[in-house]
Amino acid sequence: MILDDSGHRKSGNLTDGVGRQYLGEIGKIDNGIVIVTTHIYDGQKSLPLDLELYQHATSLALGKKDEEFHKKPDLGIELIDRSLARGYRPGIVLIDAGYGNNTTFLKKLEERQKC
């Protein structure tokens, strides 16, 4: 399984999730949206499994205190849990450094290995 996030530029602020945030597509902070995704990968091709819109704190009325606000690693765990609930048990989960440098995320991922 591959867990990743993808950001894209977006003008304005009327679309859910739009805010000034790091966008990997351009390699810097800009106005845009980000989605967190999981994909199944068989060594040759990948197939999307799930995606979730990351609601940047600045796009929410109460910022980080808003109940809609979830950090990207938490969204990633939610997506992995969806796959586990469907009975998919990946042997390996590929993640980028943004997730791999997050100790809390890694501990939650290791807990799922026991499921």
Side-chain angles (χ1 to χ4, degrees):
M1 174 186 286
I2 300 169
L3 170 67
D4 200 8
D5 54 71
S6 180
H8 304 280
R9 281 185 172 159
K10 178 77 174 120
S11 298
N13 59 2
L14 299 178
T15 302
D16 285 349
V18 172
R20 291 198 54 79
Q21 54 195 318
Y22 180 80
L23 305 175
E25 176 183 64
I26 59 172
K28 64 179 185 176
I29 294 173
D30 201 351
N31 208 48
I33 59 172
V34 173
I35 58 168
V36 179
T37 62
T38 51
H39 298 256
I40 188 171
Y41 180 68
D42 69 0
Q44 296 180 358
K45 58 188 175 296
S46 67
L47 176 68
L49 292 173
D50 291 295
L51 64 92
E52 194 67 43
L53 175 66
Y54 169 67
Q55 295 277 15
H56 192 271
T58 60
S59 73
L60 299 168
L62 299 176
K64 290 184 178 181
K65 293 181 180 180
D66 198 298
E67 66 181 33
E68 295 282 322
F69 178 72
H70 301 282
K71 295 178 180 180
K72 288 181 230 176
D74 294 333
L75 293 176
I77 290 294
E78 287 177 24
L79 295 180
I80 290 168
D81 285 346
R82 286 184 201 171
S83 291
L84 292 173
R86 290 192 295 261
Y88 177 59
R89 302 280 184 265
I92 297 172
V93 178
L94 301 174
I95 55 177
D96 70 18
Y99 298 92
N101 291 332
N102 184 312
T103 305
T104 303
F105 171 82
L106 292 174
K107 286 181 180 178
K108 289 179 180 180
L109 185 60
E110 286 176 359
E111 289 170 7
R112 273 117 184 112
Q113 186 177 20
K114 300 170 189 168
C115 296

